[in-house]
Amino acid sequence: MTTMHREHPTDEHAHGPDCGHTRVEHGDHVDYAHDGHLHREHSGHWDECEPAAHTEHVAHAHAHGSDCGHASVRHGDHVDYLHDGHRHAEHDGHYDDH
């Protein structure tokens, strides 16, 4: 999965283990949930971590919700659930990898 390179230039906050924002292991990097956005460090600045395309998580039998046991994080207009190094978002009867 490729992520778009969309720099978040106005974030003067330095994310890290003690910054107070939810840390999200996401594939080969770490995102930080901040004001409905997911930020990742890239070449000395912070990017919005967004999928480049619609990527369905195939054969996902588990239903995410408030009691599913996975951490949730607000992401724009929806909620992602953190599951096995992926962020899952419900979409048209299936889950997408974010």
Side-chain angles (χ1 to χ4, degrees):
M1 174 180 13
T2 304
T3 54
M4 295 181 348
H5 183 149
R6 188 171 63 184
E7 188 171 343
H8 189 88
T10 60
D11 193 3
E12 296 176 13
H13 174 76
H15 293 295
D18 300 318
C19 75
H21 294 113
T22 302
R23 177 185 165 98
V24 179
E25 297 289 334
H26 187 207
D28 65 350
H29 64 275
V30 174
D31 293 332
Y32 289 91
H34 186 184
D35 296 333
H37 301 271
L38 292 157
H39 297 165
R40 70 177 283 187
E41 189 172 16
H42 174 77
S43 298
H45 63 269
W46 294 94
D47 286 345
E48 302 282 349
C49 189
E50 298 293 335
H54 175 237
T55 306
E56 183 177 346
H57 187 87
V58 182
H60 186 66
H62 176 79
H64 290 295
S66 60
D67 60 352
C68 73
H70 294 110
S72 63
V73 63
R74 169 68 52 206
H75 184 203
D77 64 354
H78 64 277
V79 173
D80 287 346
Y81 290 90
L82 313 180
H83 189 172
D84 296 334
H86 301 270
R87 300 180 338 237
H88 291 171
E90 190 171 4
H91 176 247
D92 288 341
H94 63 269
Y95 289 96
D96 289 346
D97 274 332
H98 274 188

